[in-house]
Amino acid sequence: RFKLATKQSPMQYLQNLRLEHAKLSLENSKKTFAQITYESGYEDATSFSRLFRQRVGVTPAAYRKKFQPTPTAGAKSKA
């Protein structure tokens, strides 16, 4: 029933949820990938990084660089 409803196996669905959590964390936090790996439900950052690259198409570091907001060009820091 699950596969009919979602077009995914339960494991694929869970992996997709974990990957979405990791993507959001990479976009919105400064946490290390090891921290994000653990929070996403994995223990091995190397294997999760490999899965991330296979499914998303880029490394976690490249994803963060591409999607994490950068400070606005006109903003000045106060010293």
Side-chain angles (χ1 to χ4, degrees):
R1 285 184 175 184
F2 187 89
K3 194 166 186 172
L4 286 173
T6 64
K7 309 286 191 269
Q8 301 174 22
S9 71
M11 181 56 105
Q12 289 170 323
Y13 184 82
L14 181 59
Q15 284 180 337
N16 287 337
L17 286 177
R18 290 174 169 174
L19 286 167
E20 286 304 313
H21 176 269
K23 286 164 57 176
L24 287 172
S25 293
L26 287 167
E27 292 171 24
N28 299 308
S29 77
K30 301 250 187 243
K31 294 177 183 175
T32 66
F33 188 69
Q35 290 171 311
I36 293 170
T37 297
Y38 183 77
E39 290 175 357
S40 298
Y42 288 88
E43 292 183 9
D44 183 10
T46 302
S47 64
F48 188 51
S49 179
R50 192 171 25 252
L51 174 68
F52 190 97
R53 184 175 177 147
Q54 288 172 348
R55 289 286 195 68
V56 180
V58 295
T59 64
Y63 185 89
R64 173 175 269 164
K65 185 176 181 180
K66 183 174 183 177
F67 292 103
Q68 195 170 59
T70 57
T72 55
K76 295 182 181 179
S77 62
K78 293 181 181 180

